Amino acid sequence: MIRYLTAGESHGPALTAIVDGLPAGIDITQNDIDSQLLRRQQGYGRGGRMTIESDKAEVMSGIRFGKSIGSPITLLIRNRDWENWTTTMARFEEPVEEIAKISIPRPGHADLAGRIKYGFNDIRPVIERSSARETAARVAAGSLSRVFLKALGIEIGSYVSAIGSAAEPTVNPAVEELLVNGAECLALEADRSSVRMLNKSAEAGAIAAIDEVKKQGDTLGGIIEIFITGVPMGLGSYVQHDRRLDAMLVSALMSIQAIKGAEIGHAFENSRKPGSQVHDEFFLSENTGLERKTNRAGGLEGSMSSGQTIHLRAAMKPISSLVTPLHSFDLETMKPTLSRFERSDTCAVPAAGVVAEAVVAPVIANALLEKLGGDHFIEIKSRLETYRDHLHRTFKA
């Protein structure tokens, strides 16, 4: 099974990721990784850090002659901003001059709980690891599973349906048209927009809203729509809680910094409707076999893939580092004061969509490997083709 760990601080020398369990024989190029890192750096409302960094991954192990070899893949992404932080983030050397400690926590951030939990006398270590800069390593790690899945006909894409109050008025009809050609087609179309929105009116509203809150020293969150196409029926399981595919997908989304809500399809909207308007009916066709006219379940039933497009939604809160301060207190003096500002974005929802695509990729890849097994790409592909053929014959009227 595929698993990965990331390491590194926001202003340390580099971020790293080790990806273990990727099958051998998968064609991987440098661009497969770096193109995803570039996508993560885009988006209207990003802060000054993105003008400094130019993320590229150095592959240190696990790939030979452009193919995975089954051993752990080590990825390294250097922080160009490290040169400005060598004293503040020194690993061994005690600074000659005293480094100012951060003692004022930001509401909504990991600052306060992290400082108390780990017994620090300075919030800086919390800021460094809890920062969303870490997601660059996760995007790099997830890109490997994306390549594996795409080679098997499974694609992942996303777009942004809301930023602040600027939202699509209804379900966007362009989505289904784009998904016919795979989820990456939808993602490419979304990438044409600086806020990764498909609705032009919502796009204009989002850009204007970001400009306005930036003037006010405020931030904005939004809603991300994630789609996975080509997933065969029967991945995941209902027999144990830790094998439920819907739970693992939502868990992956909730692990992203600032994501505070996730749902399968339009789950919360469906909860207010009767069952007759929620469940997806079965129809049999002489030509295509099993058909469904709706996908209200978001491609998951009984914690397993239904064979339809998987649709996930994630809600990102506004970033908690504000230029205009909120009420806080000083942990050194225990007196009320205003919160401090740590360089950050006004809005990072477009980038979070790219991160969301990355973190769900290993989940789907593992569900596929659980079903099919195999250590080499060719045998896995052969087993998947056999399974897909079996499904086709099962539902042929």
Side-chain angles (χ1 to χ4, degrees), residues 10-11 47-53 81 84-85 106 124 127 131 319 321 323 340-345:
S10 179
H11 298 102
R49 182 71 184 272
M50 292 303 99
T51 65
I52 299 172
E53 303 297 347
D81 203 17
N84 300 314
W85 291 76
R106 294 164 294 172
R124 171 56 60 190
I127 294 173
S131 166
I319 290 169
S321 189
V323 175
R340 61 182 296 278
F341 174 68
E342 184 81 12
R343 182 181 58 188
S344 186
D345 304 318

mmCIF file with all atom_site columns, all heavy atoms in Angstrom, residues 10-11 47-53 81 84-85 106 124 127 131 319 321 323 340-345:
data_model
loop_
_atom_site.group_PDB
_atom_site.id
_atom_site.type_symbol
_atom_site.label_atom_id
_atom_site.label_alt_id
_atom_site.label_comp_id
_atom_site.label_asym_id
_atom_site.label_entity_id
_atom_site.label_seq_id
_atom_site.pdbx_PDB_ins_code
_atom_site.Cartn_x
_atom_site.Cartn_y
_atom_site.Cartn_z
_atom_site.occupancy
_atom_site.B_iso_or_equiv
_atom_site.pdbx_formal_charge
_atom_site.auth_seq_id
_atom_site.auth_comp_id
_atom_site.auth_asym_id
_atom_site.auth_atom_id
_atom_site.pdbx_PDB_model_num
ATOM 1   N N   . SER A 1 10  ? 8.509  25.675 7.326  1.00 0.00 ? 10  SER A N   1
ATOM 2   C CA  . SER A 1 10  ? 8.168  26.673 6.321  1.00 0.00 ? 10  SER A CA  1
ATOM 3   C C   . SER A 1 10  ? 9.380  27.477 5.870  1.00 0.00 ? 10  SER A C   1
ATOM 4   O O   . SER A 1 10  ? 9.555  27.761 4.681  1.00 0.00 ? 10  SER A O   1
ATOM 5   C CB  . SER A 1 10  ? 7.098  27.619 6.876  1.00 0.00 ? 10  SER A CB  1
ATOM 6   O OG  . SER A 1 10  ? 6.758  28.605 5.933  1.00 0.00 ? 10  SER A OG  1
ATOM 7   N N   . HIS A 1 11  ? 10.241 27.862 6.828  1.00 0.00 ? 11  HIS A N   1
ATOM 8   C CA  . HIS A 1 11  ? 11.416 28.668 6.500  1.00 0.00 ? 11  HIS A CA  1
ATOM 9   C C   . HIS A 1 11  ? 12.719 27.912 6.746  1.00 0.00 ? 11  HIS A C   1
ATOM 10  O O   . HIS A 1 11  ? 13.768 28.511 6.934  1.00 0.00 ? 11  HIS A O   1
ATOM 11  C CB  . HIS A 1 11  ? 11.393 29.970 7.299  1.00 0.00 ? 11  HIS A CB  1
ATOM 12  C CG  . HIS A 1 11  ? 10.211 30.828 6.982  1.00 0.00 ? 11  HIS A CG  1
ATOM 13  N ND1 . HIS A 1 11  ? 9.112  30.901 7.800  1.00 0.00 ? 11  HIS A ND1 1
ATOM 14  C CD2 . HIS A 1 11  ? 9.950  31.622 5.911  1.00 0.00 ? 11  HIS A CD2 1
ATOM 15  C CE1 . HIS A 1 11  ? 8.220  31.713 7.271  1.00 0.00 ? 11  HIS A CE1 1
ATOM 16  N NE2 . HIS A 1 11  ? 8.690  32.157 6.123  1.00 0.00 ? 11  HIS A NE2 1
ATOM 17  N N   . GLY A 1 47  ? 0.091  35.480 -1.441 1.00 0.00 ? 47  GLY A N   1
ATOM 18  C CA  . GLY A 1 47  ? 0.941  36.479 -0.791 1.00 0.00 ? 47  GLY A CA  1
ATOM 19  C C   . GLY A 1 47  ? 2.341  36.539 -1.377 1.00 0.00 ? 47  GLY A C   1
ATOM 20  O O   . GLY A 1 47  ? 2.667  35.917 -2.398 1.00 0.00 ? 47  GLY A O   1
ATOM 21  N N   . GLY A 1 48  ? 3.217  37.281 -0.704 1.00 0.00 ? 48  GLY A N   1
ATOM 22  C CA  . GLY A 1 48  ? 4.564  37.537 -1.185 1.00 0.00 ? 48  GLY A CA  1
ATOM 23  C C   . GLY A 1 48  ? 5.449  36.313 -1.243 1.00 0.00 ? 48  GLY A C   1
ATOM 24  O O   . GLY A 1 48  ? 6.419  36.280 -2.012 1.00 0.00 ? 48  GLY A O   1
ATOM 25  N N   . ARG A 1 49  ? 5.149  35.274 -0.468 1.00 0.00 ? 49  ARG A N   1
ATOM 26  C CA  . ARG A 1 49  ? 6.000  34.075 -0.461 1.00 0.00 ? 49  ARG A CA  1
ATOM 27  C C   . ARG A 1 49  ? 6.079  33.447 -1.857 1.00 0.00 ? 49  ARG A C   1
ATOM 28  O O   . ARG A 1 49  ? 7.121  32.919 -2.267 1.00 0.00 ? 49  ARG A O   1
ATOM 29  C CB  . ARG A 1 49  ? 5.466  33.058 0.551  1.00 0.00 ? 49  ARG A CB  1
ATOM 30  C CG  . ARG A 1 49  ? 6.324  31.780 0.676  1.00 0.00 ? 49  ARG A CG  1
ATOM 31  C CD  . ARG A 1 49  ? 7.645  32.103 1.363  1.00 0.00 ? 49  ARG A CD  1
ATOM 32  N NE  . ARG A 1 49  ? 8.547  30.961 1.435  1.00 0.00 ? 49  ARG A NE  1
ATOM 33  C CZ  . ARG A 1 49  ? 8.558  30.064 2.412  1.00 0.00 ? 49  ARG A CZ  1
ATOM 34  N NH1 . ARG A 1 49  ? 7.702  30.150 3.423  1.00 0.00 ? 49  ARG A NH1 1
ATOM 35  N NH2 . ARG A 1 49  ? 9.435  29.082 2.412  1.00 0.00 ? 49  ARG A NH2 1
ATOM 36  N N   . MET A 1 50  ? 4.985  33.513 -2.597 1.00 0.00 ? 50  MET A N   1
ATOM 37  C CA  . MET A 1 50  ? 4.963  32.885 -3.910 1.00 0.00 ? 50  MET A CA  1
ATOM 38  C C   . MET A 1 50  ? 5.791  33.629 -4.945 1.00 0.00 ? 50  MET A C   1
ATOM 39  O O   . MET A 1 50  ? 6.073  33.101 -6.018 1.00 0.00 ? 50  MET A O   1
ATOM 40  C CB  . MET A 1 50  ? 3.524  32.711 -4.395 1.00 0.00 ? 50  MET A CB  1
ATOM 41  C CG  . MET A 1 50  ? 2.714  31.692 -3.599 1.00 0.00 ? 50  MET A CG  1
ATOM 42  S SD  . MET A 1 50  ? 3.464  30.048 -3.555 1.00 0.00 ? 50  MET A SD  1
ATOM 43  C CE  . MET A 1 50  ? 4.283  30.035 -1.954 1.00 0.00 ? 50  MET A CE  1
ATOM 44  N N   . THR A 1 51  ? 6.168  34.865 -4.644 1.00 0.00 ? 51  THR A N   1
ATOM 45  C CA  . THR A 1 51  ? 7.068  35.592 -5.549 1.00 0.00 ? 51  THR A CA  1
ATOM 46  C C   . THR A 1 51  ? 8.523  35.222 -5.279 1.00 0.00 ? 51  THR A C   1
ATOM 47  O O   . THR A 1 51  ? 9.400  35.499 -6.096 1.00 0.00 ? 51  THR A O   1
ATOM 48  C CB  . THR A 1 51  ? 6.889  37.116 -5.391 1.00 0.00 ? 51  THR A CB  1
ATOM 49  O OG1 . THR A 1 51  ? 7.286  37.515 -4.073 1.00 0.00 ? 51  THR A OG1 1
ATOM 50  C CG2 . THR A 1 51  ? 5.442  37.524 -5.615 1.00 0.00 ? 51  THR A CG2 1
ATOM 51  N N   . ILE A 1 52  ? 8.757  34.587 -4.137 1.00 0.00 ? 52  ILE A N   1
ATOM 52  C CA  . ILE A 1 52  ? 10.111 34.169 -3.763 1.00 0.00 ? 52  ILE A CA  1
ATOM 53  C C   . ILE A 1 52  ? 10.388 32.748 -4.235 1.00 0.00 ? 52  ILE A C   1
ATOM 54  O O   . ILE A 1 52  ? 11.424 32.458 -4.832 1.00 0.00 ? 52  ILE A O   1
ATOM 55  C CB  . ILE A 1 52  ? 10.314 34.263 -2.238 1.00 0.00 ? 52  ILE A CB  1
ATOM 56  C CG1 . ILE A 1 52  ? 10.139 35.704 -1.762 1.00 0.00 ? 52  ILE A CG1 1
ATOM 57  C CG2 . ILE A 1 52  ? 11.678 33.722 -1.827 1.00 0.00 ? 52  ILE A CG2 1
ATOM 58  C CD1 . ILE A 1 52  ? 10.134 35.850 -0.256 1.00 0.00 ? 52  ILE A CD1 1
ATOM 59  N N   . GLU A 1 53  ? 9.442  31.856 -3.963 1.00 0.00 ? 53  GLU A N   1
ATOM 60  C CA  . GLU A 1 53  ? 9.657  30.442 -4.242 1.00 0.00 ? 53  GLU A CA  1
ATOM 61  C C   . GLU A 1 53  ? 9.363  30.099 -5.707 1.00 0.00 ? 53  GLU A C   1
ATOM 62  O O   . GLU A 1 53  ? 8.523  30.719 -6.350 1.00 0.00 ? 53  GLU A O   1
ATOM 63  C CB  . GLU A 1 53  ? 8.762  29.580 -3.337 1.00 0.00 ? 53  GLU A CB  1
ATOM 64  C CG  . GLU A 1 53  ? 8.957  29.821 -1.853 1.00 0.00 ? 53  GLU A CG  1
ATOM 65  C CD  . GLU A 1 53  ? 10.356 29.468 -1.356 1.00 0.00 ? 53  GLU A CD  1
ATOM 66  O OE1 . GLU A 1 53  ? 11.109 28.797 -2.102 1.00 0.00 ? 53  GLU A OE1 1
ATOM 67  O OE2 . GLU A 1 53  ? 10.692 29.865 -0.236 1.00 0.00 ? 53  GLU A OE2 1
ATOM 68  N N   . ASP A 1 81  ? 13.568 30.874 0.318  1.00 0.00 ? 81  ASP A N   1
ATOM 69  C CA  . ASP A 1 81  ? 13.504 31.891 1.362  1.00 0.00 ? 81  ASP A CA  1
ATOM 70  C C   . ASP A 1 81  ? 14.397 31.547 2.559  1.00 0.00 ? 81  ASP A C   1
ATOM 71  O O   . ASP A 1 81  ? 14.587 32.366 3.464  1.00 0.00 ? 81  ASP A O   1
ATOM 72  C CB  . ASP A 1 81  ? 12.055 32.068 1.825  1.00 0.00 ? 81  ASP A CB  1
ATOM 73  C CG  . ASP A 1 81  ? 11.811 33.434 2.461  1.00 0.00 ? 81  ASP A CG  1
ATOM 74  O OD1 . ASP A 1 81  ? 12.638 34.346 2.254  1.00 0.00 ? 81  ASP A OD1 1
ATOM 75  O OD2 . ASP A 1 81  ? 10.796 33.592 3.160  1.00 0.00 ? 81  ASP A OD2 1
ATOM 76  N N   . ASN A 1 84  ? 17.096 33.854 3.980  1.00 0.00 ? 84  ASN A N   1
ATOM 77  C CA  . ASN A 1 84  ? 16.707 34.993 4.819  1.00 0.00 ? 84  ASN A CA  1
ATOM 78  C C   . ASN A 1 84  ? 16.392 34.581 6.261  1.00 0.00 ? 84  ASN A C   1
ATOM 79  O O   . ASN A 1 84  ? 16.081 35.436 7.089  1.00 0.00 ? 84  ASN A O   1
ATOM 80  C CB  . ASN A 1 84  ? 15.484 35.692 4.225  1.00 0.00 ? 84  ASN A CB  1
ATOM 81  C CG  . ASN A 1 84  ? 15.740 36.222 2.821  1.00 0.00 ? 84  ASN A CG  1
ATOM 82  O OD1 . ASN A 1 84  ? 16.756 36.845 2.569  1.00 0.00 ? 84  ASN A OD1 1
ATOM 83  N ND2 . ASN A 1 84  ? 14.808 35.964 1.907  1.00 0.00 ? 84  ASN A ND2 1
ATOM 84  N N   . TRP A 1 85  ? 16.470 33.269 6.538  1.00 0.00 ? 85  TRP A N   1
ATOM 85  C CA  . TRP A 1 85  ? 16.063 32.769 7.850  1.00 0.00 ? 85  TRP A CA  1
ATOM 86  C C   . TRP A 1 85  ? 17.137 31.902 8.507  1.00 0.00 ? 85  TRP A C   1
ATOM 87  O O   . TRP A 1 85  ? 16.864 31.174 9.453  1.00 0.00 ? 85  TRP A O   1
ATOM 88  C CB  . TRP A 1 85  ? 14.769 31.957 7.710  1.00 0.00 ? 85  TRP A CB  1
ATOM 89  C CG  . TRP A 1 85  ? 13.583 32.800 7.361  1.00 0.00 ? 85  TRP A CG  1
ATOM 90  C CD1 . TRP A 1 85  ? 13.287 33.328 6.135  1.00 0.00 ? 85  TRP A CD1 1
ATOM 91  C CD2 . TRP A 1 85  ? 12.547 33.225 8.235  1.00 0.00 ? 85  TRP A CD2 1
ATOM 92  N NE1 . TRP A 1 85  ? 12.126 34.047 6.198  1.00 0.00 ? 85  TRP A NE1 1
ATOM 93  C CE2 . TRP A 1 85  ? 11.649 34.011 7.471  1.00 0.00 ? 85  TRP A CE2 1
ATOM 94  C CE3 . TRP A 1 85  ? 12.287 33.028 9.592  1.00 0.00 ? 85  TRP A CE3 1
ATOM 95  C CZ2 . TRP A 1 85  ? 10.512 34.584 8.034  1.00 0.00 ? 85  TRP A CZ2 1
ATOM 96  C CZ3 . TRP A 1 85  ? 11.151 33.595 10.142 1.00 0.00 ? 85  TRP A CZ3 1
ATOM 97  C CH2 . TRP A 1 85  ? 10.283 34.370 9.359  1.00 0.00 ? 85  TRP A CH2 1
ATOM 98  N N   . ARG A 1 106 ? -2.304 33.881 17.245 1.00 0.00 ? 106 ARG A N   1
ATOM 99  C CA  . ARG A 1 106 ? -3.335 34.331 16.298 1.00 0.00 ? 106 ARG A CA  1
ATOM 100 C C   . ARG A 1 106 ? -4.592 33.482 16.460 1.00 0.00 ? 106 ARG A C   1
ATOM 101 O O   . ARG A 1 106 ? -4.516 32.248 16.395 1.00 0.00 ? 106 ARG A O   1
ATOM 102 C CB  . ARG A 1 106 ? -2.822 34.201 14.862 1.00 0.00 ? 106 ARG A CB  1
ATOM 103 C CG  . ARG A 1 106 ? -1.677 35.120 14.512 1.00 0.00 ? 106 ARG A CG  1
ATOM 104 C CD  . ARG A 1 106 ? -0.980 34.660 13.231 1.00 0.00 ? 106 ARG A CD  1
ATOM 105 N NE  . ARG A 1 106 ? -0.319 33.375 13.434 1.00 0.00 ? 106 ARG A NE  1
ATOM 106 C CZ  . ARG A 1 106 ? 0.240  32.665 12.460 1.00 0.00 ? 106 ARG A CZ  1
ATOM 107 N NH1 . ARG A 1 106 ? 0.220  33.119 11.211 1.00 0.00 ? 106 ARG A NH1 1
ATOM 108 N NH2 . ARG A 1 106 ? 0.825  31.518 12.721 1.00 0.00 ? 106 ARG A NH2 1
ATOM 109 N N   . ARG A 1 124 ? 7.184  30.385 17.392 1.00 0.00 ? 124 ARG A N   1
ATOM 110 C CA  . ARG A 1 124 ? 7.821  30.186 16.090 1.00 0.00 ? 124 ARG A CA  1
ATOM 111 C C   . ARG A 1 124 ? 7.857  28.729 15.631 1.00 0.00 ? 124 ARG A C   1
ATOM 112 O O   . ARG A 1 124 ? 7.531  28.440 14.465 1.00 0.00 ? 124 ARG A O   1
ATOM 113 C CB  . ARG A 1 124 ? 9.238  30.790 16.107 1.00 0.00 ? 124 ARG A CB  1
ATOM 114 C CG  . ARG A 1 124 ? 10.109 30.478 14.895 1.00 0.00 ? 124 ARG A CG  1
ATOM 115 C CD  . ARG A 1 124 ? 9.481  30.884 13.578 1.00 0.00 ? 124 ARG A CD  1
ATOM 116 N NE  . ARG A 1 124 ? 9.197  32.295 13.476 1.00 0.00 ? 124 ARG A NE  1
ATOM 117 C CZ  . ARG A 1 124 ? 8.475  32.839 12.491 1.00 0.00 ? 124 ARG A CZ  1
ATOM 118 N NH1 . ARG A 1 124 ? 7.960  32.063 11.541 1.00 0.00 ? 124 ARG A NH1 1
ATOM 119 N NH2 . ARG A 1 124 ? 8.247  34.134 12.466 1.00 0.00 ? 124 ARG A NH2 1
ATOM 120 N N   . ILE A 1 127 ? 4.465  27.771 14.212 1.00 0.00 ? 127 ILE A N   1
ATOM 121 C CA  . ILE A 1 127 ? 4.198  28.422 12.930 1.00 0.00 ? 127 ILE A CA  1
ATOM 122 C C   . ILE A 1 127 ? 4.902  27.681 11.802 1.00 0.00 ? 127 ILE A C   1
ATOM 123 O O   . ILE A 1 127 ? 4.334  27.460 10.724 1.00 0.00 ? 127 ILE A O   1
ATOM 124 C CB  . ILE A 1 127 ? 4.673  29.896 12.967 1.00 0.00 ? 127 ILE A CB  1
ATOM 125 C CG1 . ILE A 1 127 ? 3.838  30.693 13.969 1.00 0.00 ? 127 ILE A CG1 1
ATOM 126 C CG2 . ILE A 1 127 ? 4.615  30.536 11.583 1.00 0.00 ? 127 ILE A CG2 1
ATOM 127 C CD1 . ILE A 1 127 ? 4.349  32.097 14.196 1.00 0.00 ? 127 ILE A CD1 1
ATOM 128 N N   . SER A 1 131 ? 2.334  25.579 9.164  1.00 0.00 ? 131 SER A N   1
ATOM 129 C CA  . SER A 1 131 ? 2.137  26.382 7.960  1.00 0.00 ? 131 SER A CA  1
ATOM 130 C C   . SER A 1 131 ? 1.709  25.536 6.765  1.00 0.00 ? 131 SER A C   1
ATOM 131 O O   . SER A 1 131 ? 2.151  24.405 6.581  1.00 0.00 ? 131 SER A O   1
ATOM 132 C CB  . SER A 1 131 ? 3.445  27.109 7.614  1.00 0.00 ? 131 SER A CB  1
ATOM 133 O OG  . SER A 1 131 ? 3.404  27.647 6.308  1.00 0.00 ? 131 SER A OG  1
ATOM 134 N N   . ILE A 1 319 ? -8.109 32.406 5.857  1.00 0.00 ? 319 ILE A N   1
ATOM 135 C CA  . ILE A 1 319 ? -6.803 32.258 6.497  1.00 0.00 ? 319 ILE A CA  1
ATOM 136 C C   . ILE A 1 319 ? -6.763 33.080 7.777  1.00 0.00 ? 319 ILE A C   1
ATOM 137 O O   . ILE A 1 319 ? -7.293 34.196 7.841  1.00 0.00 ? 319 ILE A O   1
ATOM 138 C CB  . ILE A 1 319 ? -5.692 32.682 5.511  1.00 0.00 ? 319 ILE A CB  1
ATOM 139 C CG1 . ILE A 1 319 ? -5.614 31.639 4.393  1.00 0.00 ? 319 ILE A CG1 1
ATOM 140 C CG2 . ILE A 1 319 ? -4.351 32.817 6.211  1.00 0.00 ? 319 ILE A CG2 1
ATOM 141 C CD1 . ILE A 1 319 ? -4.773 32.056 3.234  1.00 0.00 ? 319 ILE A CD1 1
ATOM 142 N N   . SER A 1 321 ? -4.266 34.442 9.503  1.00 0.00 ? 321 SER A N   1
ATOM 143 C CA  . SER A 1 321 ? -3.269 35.491 9.706  1.00 0.00 ? 321 SER A CA  1
ATOM 144 C C   . SER A 1 321 ? -3.752 36.757 8.995  1.00 0.00 ? 321 SER A C   1
ATOM 145 O O   . SER A 1 321 ? -3.719 36.842 7.767  1.00 0.00 ? 321 SER A O   1
ATOM 146 C CB  . SER A 1 321 ? -1.911 35.052 9.153  1.00 0.00 ? 321 SER A CB  1
ATOM 147 O OG  . SER A 1 321 ? -0.907 35.955 9.527  1.00 0.00 ? 321 SER A OG  1
ATOM 148 N N   . VAL A 1 323 ? -3.914 41.003 8.398  1.00 0.00 ? 323 VAL A N   1
ATOM 149 C CA  . VAL A 1 323 ? -3.190 42.271 8.523  1.00 0.00 ? 323 VAL A CA  1
ATOM 150 C C   . VAL A 1 323 ? -3.872 43.147 9.561  1.00 0.00 ? 323 VAL A C   1
ATOM 151 O O   . VAL A 1 323 ? -3.226 43.769 10.404 1.00 0.00 ? 323 VAL A O   1
ATOM 152 C CB  . VAL A 1 323 ? -3.120 42.996 7.165  1.00 0.00 ? 323 VAL A CB  1
ATOM 153 C CG1 . VAL A 1 323 ? -2.482 44.374 7.329  1.00 0.00 ? 323 VAL A CG1 1
ATOM 154 C CG2 . VAL A 1 323 ? -2.335 42.163 6.161  1.00 0.00 ? 323 VAL A CG2 1
ATOM 155 N N   . ARG A 1 340 ? -0.711 39.415 16.150 1.00 0.00 ? 340 ARG A N   1
ATOM 156 C CA  . ARG A 1 340 ? 0.350  39.815 15.245 1.00 0.00 ? 340 ARG A CA  1
ATOM 157 C C   . ARG A 1 340 ? 0.086  39.261 13.851 1.00 0.00 ? 340 ARG A C   1
ATOM 158 O O   . ARG A 1 340 ? -0.700 38.329 13.659 1.00 0.00 ? 340 ARG A O   1
ATOM 159 C CB  . ARG A 1 340 ? 1.706  39.320 15.751 1.00 0.00 ? 340 ARG A CB  1
ATOM 160 C CG  . ARG A 1 340 ? 1.798  37.810 15.856 1.00 0.00 ? 340 ARG A CG  1
ATOM 161 C CD  . ARG A 1 340 ? 3.130  37.362 16.404 1.00 0.00 ? 340 ARG A CD  1
ATOM 162 N NE  . ARG A 1 340 ? 4.218  37.706 15.515 1.00 0.00 ? 340 ARG A NE  1
ATOM 163 C CZ  . ARG A 1 340 ? 4.561  36.985 14.447 1.00 0.00 ? 340 ARG A CZ  1
ATOM 164 N NH1 . ARG A 1 340 ? 3.857  35.911 14.131 1.00 0.00 ? 340 ARG A NH1 1
ATOM 165 N NH2 . ARG A 1 340 ? 5.581  37.334 13.704 1.00 0.00 ? 340 ARG A NH2 1
ATOM 166 N N   . PHE A 1 341 ? 0.758  39.827 12.850 1.00 0.00 ? 341 PHE A N   1
ATOM 167 C CA  . PHE A 1 341 ? 0.602  39.376 11.470 1.00 0.00 ? 341 PHE A CA  1
ATOM 168 C C   . PHE A 1 341 ? 1.827  38.589 11.026 1.00 0.00 ? 341 PHE A C   1
ATOM 169 O O   . PHE A 1 341 ? 2.961  39.033 11.202 1.00 0.00 ? 341 PHE A O   1
ATOM 170 C CB  . PHE A 1 341 ? 0.394  40.572 10.528 1.00 0.00 ? 341 PHE A CB  1
ATOM 171 C CG  . PHE A 1 341 ? 0.358  40.189 9.067  1.00 0.00 ? 341 PHE A CG  1
ATOM 172 C CD1 . PHE A 1 341 ? -0.689 39.436 8.568  1.00 0.00 ? 341 PHE A CD1 1
ATOM 173 C CD2 . PHE A 1 341 ? 1.382  40.573 8.207  1.00 0.00 ? 341 PHE A CD2 1
ATOM 174 C CE1 . PHE A 1 341 ? -0.729 39.058 7.222  1.00 0.00 ? 341 PHE A CE1 1
ATOM 175 C CE2 . PHE A 1 341 ? 1.345  40.211 6.854  1.00 0.00 ? 341 PHE A CE2 1
ATOM 176 C CZ  . PHE A 1 341 ? 0.284  39.458 6.372  1.00 0.00 ? 341 PHE A CZ  1
ATOM 177 N N   . GLU A 1 342 ? 1.594  37.419 10.486 1.00 0.00 ? 342 GLU A N   1
ATOM 178 C CA  . GLU A 1 342 ? 2.635  36.597 9.874  1.00 0.00 ? 342 GLU A CA  1
ATOM 179 C C   . GLU A 1 342 ? 2.372  36.600 8.373  1.00 0.00 ? 342 GLU A C   1
ATOM 180 O O   . GLU A 1 342 ? 1.243  36.350 7.935  1.00 0.00 ? 342 GLU A O   1
ATOM 181 C CB  . GLU A 1 342 ? 2.570  35.165 10.427 1.00 0.00 ? 342 GLU A CB  1
ATOM 182 C CG  . GLU A 1 342 ? 3.650  34.246 9.931  1.00 0.00 ? 342 GLU A CG  1
ATOM 183 C CD  . GLU A 1 342 ? 4.981  34.404 10.659 1.00 0.00 ? 342 GLU A CD  1
ATOM 184 O OE1 . GLU A 1 342 ? 5.002  35.082 11.710 1.00 0.00 ? 342 GLU A OE1 1
ATOM 185 O OE2 . GLU A 1 342 ? 5.980  33.862 10.180 1.00 0.00 ? 342 GLU A OE2 1
ATOM 186 N N   . ARG A 1 343 ? 3.379  36.899 7.590  1.00 0.00 ? 343 ARG A N   1
ATOM 187 C CA  . ARG A 1 343 ? 3.196  36.982 6.137  1.00 0.00 ? 343 ARG A CA  1
ATOM 188 C C   . ARG A 1 343 ? 2.339  35.833 5.619  1.00 0.00 ? 343 ARG A C   1
ATOM 189 O O   . ARG A 1 343 ? 2.599  34.668 5.894  1.00 0.00 ? 343 ARG A O   1
ATOM 190 C CB  . ARG A 1 343 ? 4.563  36.949 5.447  1.00 0.00 ? 343 ARG A CB  1
ATOM 191 C CG  . ARG A 1 343 ? 4.518  37.065 3.937  1.00 0.00 ? 343 ARG A CG  1
ATOM 192 C CD  . ARG A 1 343 ? 5.917  36.991 3.354  1.00 0.00 ? 343 ARG A CD  1
ATOM 193 N NE  . ARG A 1 343 ? 6.590  35.735 3.722  1.00 0.00 ? 343 ARG A NE  1
ATOM 194 C CZ  . ARG A 1 343 ? 7.859  35.495 3.482  1.00 0.00 ? 343 ARG A CZ  1
ATOM 195 N NH1 . ARG A 1 343 ? 8.620  36.410 2.924  1.00 0.00 ? 343 ARG A NH1 1
ATOM 196 N NH2 . ARG A 1 343 ? 8.403  34.339 3.827  1.00 0.00 ? 343 ARG A NH2 1
ATOM 197 N N   . SER A 1 344 ? 1.311  36.170 4.846  1.00 0.00 ? 344 SER A N   1
ATOM 198 C CA  . SER A 1 344 ? 0.366  35.146 4.437  1.00 0.00 ? 344 SER A CA  1
ATOM 199 C C   . SER A 1 344 ? -0.381 35.581 3.182  1.00 0.00 ? 344 SER A C   1
ATOM 200 O O   . SER A 1 344 ? -0.088 36.628 2.592  1.00 0.00 ? 344 SER A O   1
ATOM 201 C CB  . SER A 1 344 ? -0.616 34.863 5.580  1.00 0.00 ? 344 SER A CB  1
ATOM 202 O OG  . SER A 1 344 ? -1.454 33.781 5.269  1.00 0.00 ? 344 SER A OG  1
ATOM 203 N N   . ASP A 1 345 ? -1.359 34.783 2.784  1.00 0.00 ? 345 ASP A N   1
ATOM 204 C CA  . ASP A 1 345 ? -2.191 35.078 1.614  1.00 0.00 ? 345 ASP A CA  1
ATOM 205 C C   . ASP A 1 345 ? -3.474 35.782 2.033  1.00 0.00 ? 345 ASP A C   1
ATOM 206 O O   . ASP A 1 345 ? -3.922 35.665 3.176  1.00 0.00 ? 345 ASP A O   1
ATOM 207 C CB  . ASP A 1 345 ? -2.574 33.783 0.891  1.00 0.00 ? 345 ASP A CB  1
ATOM 208 C CG  . ASP A 1 345 ? -1.377 32.946 0.482  1.00 0.00 ? 345 ASP A CG  1
ATOM 209 O OD1 . ASP A 1 345 ? -0.390 33.534 0.012  1.00 0.00 ? 345 ASP A OD1 1
ATOM 210 O OD2 . ASP A 1 345 ? -1.440 31.718 0.647  1.00 0.00 ? 345 ASP A OD2 1
#
